[in-house]
Amino acid sequence: MAITMTDAAADRVRHFLSNRGKGIGLRVGVKTTGCSGLAYVLEFVDELNPDDEVFDQQGIKLIVDGKSLVYIDGTQLDFTREGLNEGFKFNNPNVNGECGCGESFTV
Amino acid sequence: MALLQIAEPGQSSAPHQHKLAAGIDLGTTNSLVATVRSGEAQILMGSDDQPMVPSAVRFVSEDKTDVGQSALDAAVFDAENTILSVKRFMGRGFAEIANQAEQLPYQLVDQSGLLALQTRQGVKNPVEVSAEILKRLHAIASEHLAGELTGVVITVPAYFDDAQRQATKDAARLAGLNVLRLLNEPTAAALAYGLDSGQEGVVAVYDLGGGTFDISILRLQKGVFEVLATGGNSALGGDDFDQAIVGWLLEQTGETERSAQSLREYKLLARRLKEQLSQVAEADFVLPLGDDEFRGSLDRATFESLVQPLVRKTLLACKSAVRDAGLQLDQVLSVVMVGGSTRVPLVRQTVAELFGQEPLTSIDPDQVVALGAAIQANVLVGNKSEQDTLLLDVIPLSLGLETMGGLVEKIIPRNTVIPVAKAQEFTTFKDGQTAMAIHVLQGERELVADNRSLARFELHGIPPMPAGGAHIRVTFQVDADGLLHVTAQEKSSGVVASIEVKPSYGLTDEQIMSMITGSMQHAKADMQQRMLLEQQVEADRVLEAVRAALASDGHLLETEERKRIELQLTELQQQRQGDDPDAIKVAIERVNNSTDQFAALRMDQSIRNALKGHKVDEV
């Protein structure tokens, strides 16, 4: 079981964490909401929860709660540009269907 | 799939509910838009990869409008349809700008008192022109954030008055933007440096832009920034530095301004030399001179001697702003540098010497205001929970209303922290008065004539009552954006009238300063004038009341007594025309004394009338 990151994503996460000046890592996960079931969570982490699993990736702590992990296991986090917009993207092998915009998904 | 940003812990938004926020620095020369992404404030660049959008709007044809660099470039050959520095016209009356008409390349139009410009696309007012700049920034932000903006924070100079702030909000509305709040530019700069979470104390923001200089003294207390004082010079900036170099170049080449082939070429060169000298000690240049060319170089020392007098001017303004804030220079905790001209080493060095400390310069001085606005916008849309930055500002000039005799009653004194609401009760002056005119004023002087008129409205439907019987509560409310709402309500009947103040013209920084200093210089004369007017109003009231009483109950008096009272009234009438408040006061007292007896007689009579026909046990 693992979550990975591309180099581009790792660079940006490192930059944003140092800019923020605090935080132990990056939370990746899912929550139930949205137009087709589940939505991704991407947050700074200041404190660990008891059911969190920590993956050390390129010197960055990726933190996933146990419940989320089953939905996103094997996911690779990427950072990309689309036109002027830029941001993180989940390449999740578990996804069966997405809503039109891809912000929420089903497994 | 959609691209995601890193949220604060617990602040992840539901799909399609991203709270996108942007900060906008709507500048005189350049405008910028910024946002906070993954916790970092960043400038959003247009498709040309330039952080700054020149605040230039060109009406190219009947249905085409151009904004930014290409519009600015067209100003040379299409000046009449290319509006530059529109910020200077925001919220200003036609009459205020009309005297500058000759220096402006535009056809000015009087739009019911407000200034407007005749262009190829018809008459455009400054709000519409500003909206074009905001539309461009809006488009840049939407493209970057791949979604509609929830709200924006737009910065304005600390000295902007209600009219100028309202005009800015109107422009944003026209551009389809939801304004979360207008933020003072110096406050935004302080926010960008994170001073709001630092040590409490006084912050000076030194803002030397292309054409204007502003100094603001802020105080941070309990996470709140308060503007203590503002000052500056609306006609001093980097362009004047360029002009000083142009003068020197003309001297070197021996040309006169008139003969110089292209003054524009000289200006561009001057600008380049200035920018180079921020990095290197000496800069070379070549200028075409007739058929030949002129080679020379400008060193930093010469450049500094050229601009030294200009920099010194800014120091004077700094000192007087600090003094106006009631502080000493050494009480300033940090100094923030804003505006491209603060890159000049001499400026930094001189400011450092004045305040006895190194100013903050680590953030790009052209971008610092927009970045601060973005940080504030991000907090206001609710993307940050832990930190509830609540920014308060103060009103620059006192707000009040006109009372009898042309006097001003201040309701909200200047430097009051906004938002604020204050109420005061007023009453009627005449018997049976059924309406009251409310005249809203701004300024520090005692007399209506010396202050600035903001608005007038009337409260009708007051039930007829004896003079002084009605209770009219007037409430002044200033919202977080500095906009004023005035309400008047008569208590017994509940009739209400109110007005939202959208004054028809604005004030410059200097005018505000001169209004404040004027109030100090004229304080004594104003007080005397006030005392005189107060006595005159009181005299009128007494004259009116006693004459009304004589008309209705004069028969109660002995002829001698009545003559004596009438004599006193004539005496009071005469004194009232004079300008000695003490003499009027004495005359009023005489009338009051001589009518004591009369008042008693009238009282007896009204009691007798009331009791007439009633039995004792009924009373």
Side-chain angles (χ1 to χ4, degrees), chain B residues 314-390:
Chain B
T314 70
L315 294 190
L316 291 177
C318 290
K319 285 182 195 160
S320 76
V322 170
R323 201 166 43 233
D324 197 42
L327 297 168
Q328 306 289 326
L329 283 165
D330 58 9
Q331 288 175 276
V332 174
L333 193 69
S334 8
V335 182
V336 176
M337 298 295 252
V338 182
S341 306
T342 60
R343 291 201 183 88
V344 173
L346 177 72
V347 173
R348 293 186 175 188
Q349 187 191 321
T350 319
V351 171
E353 278 163 19
L354 177 74
F355 288 100
Q357 61 174 300
E358 278 306 312
L360 296 167
T361 54
S362 61
I363 303 177
D364 186 325
D366 284 321
Q367 304 184 353
V368 62
V369 168
L371 293 172
I375 291 168
Q376 177 70 0
N378 192 48
V379 172
L380 289 176
V381 292
N383 283 335
K384 222 163 174 184
S385 60
E386 49 194 299
Q387 186 187 2
D388 48 333
T389 320
L390 232 179

Side-chain angles (χ1 to χ4, degrees), chain B residues 161 262 289 299 320 326 368 412 416 600:
Chain B
D161 70 2
S262 165
L289 189 64
D299 61 29
S320 76
V368 62
I412 304 180
T416 298

Side-chain angles (χ1 to χ4, degrees), chain B residues 227-506:
Chain B
V227 181
L228 296 179
T230 65
N233 188 332
S234 58
L236 176 64
D239 298 345
D240 299 289
F241 288 17
D242 299 348
Q243 202 51 49
I245 300 176
V246 168
W248 179 83
L249 287 171
L250 289 170
E251 230 171 73
Q252 299 299 305
T253 59
E255 285 194 280
T256 61
E257 200 162 318
R258 205 177 277 273
S259 69
Q261 289 168 330
S262 165
L263 207 52
R264 190 176 155 80
E265 208 167 303
Y266 273 67
K267 278 185 184 157
L268 286 174
L269 173 62
R271 197 189 173 110
R272 183 173 66 76
L273 290 173
K274 174 184 74 175
E275 287 171 5
Q276 280 182 354
L277 287 172
S278 290
Q279 311 297 329
V280 298
E282 187 163 359
D284 299 327
F285 63 90
V286 184
L287 265 176
L289 189 64
D291 298 331
D292 209 357
E293 56 181 30
F294 183 92
R295 288 176 177 273
S297 73
L298 175 62
D299 61 29
R300 196 182 276 175
T302 311
F303 167 66
E304 291 184 346
S305 68
L306 290 172
V307 300
Q308 179 69 46
L310 299 168
V311 179
R312 197 173 304 131
K313 269 193 200 171
T314 70
L315 294 190
L316 291 177
C318 290
K319 285 182 195 160
S320 76
V322 170
R323 201 166 43 233
D324 197 42
L327 297 168
Q328 306 289 326
L329 283 165
D330 58 9
Q331 288 175 276
V332 174
L333 193 69
S334 8
V335 182
V336 176
M337 298 295 252
V338 182
S341 306
T342 60
R343 291 201 183 88
V344 173
L346 177 72
V347 173
R348 293 186 175 188
Q349 187 191 321
T350 319
V351 171
E353 278 163 19
L354 177 74
F355 288 100
Q357 61 174 300
E358 278 306 312
L360 296 167
T361 54
S362 61
I363 303 177
D364 186 325
D366 284 321
Q367 304 184 353
V368 62
V369 168
L371 293 172
I375 291 168
Q376 177 70 0
N378 192 48
V379 172
L380 289 176
V381 292
N383 283 335
K384 222 163 174 184
S385 60
E386 49 194 299
Q387 186 187 2
D388 48 333
T389 320
L390 232 179
L391 285 179
L392 295 198
D393 289 325
V394 297
I395 54 167
L397 291 167
S398 301
L399 297 166
L401 49 77
E402 176 172 355
T403 61
M404 285 304 293
L407 291 171
V408 179
E409 183 77 26
K410 286 185 189 128
I411 309 288
I412 304 180
R414 92 184 173 93
N415 278 340
T416 298
V417 176
I418 54 174
V420 64
K422 283 197 180 175
Q424 197 158 325
E425 261 186 32
F426 293 89
T427 188
T428 45
F429 187 76
K430 290 203 171 194
D431 289 341
Q433 184 178 338
T434 57
M436 185 181 246
I438 315 269
H439 184 192
V440 184
L441 295 145
Q442 186 176 35
E444 307 310 310
R445 303 284 297 274
E446 299 289 336
L447 304 187
V448 169
D450 297 326
N451 285 291
R452 177 172 178 239
S453 170
L454 283 184
R456 289 170 190 272
F457 67 103
E458 284 171 10
L459 175 67
H460 290 280
I462 303 171
M465 275 180 252
H471 294 279
I472 293 144
R473 191 175 173 79
V474 179
T475 310
F476 275 51
Q477 191 174 354
V478 182
D479 70 15
D481 298 320
L483 296 175
L484 173 65
H485 194 86
V486 182
T487 312
Q489 180 171 36
E490 199 284 312
K491 281 169 121 181
S492 68
S493 60
V495 290
V496 176
S498 72
I499 199 163
E500 170 113 21
V501 176
K502 276 192 181 183
S504 55
Y505 57 92

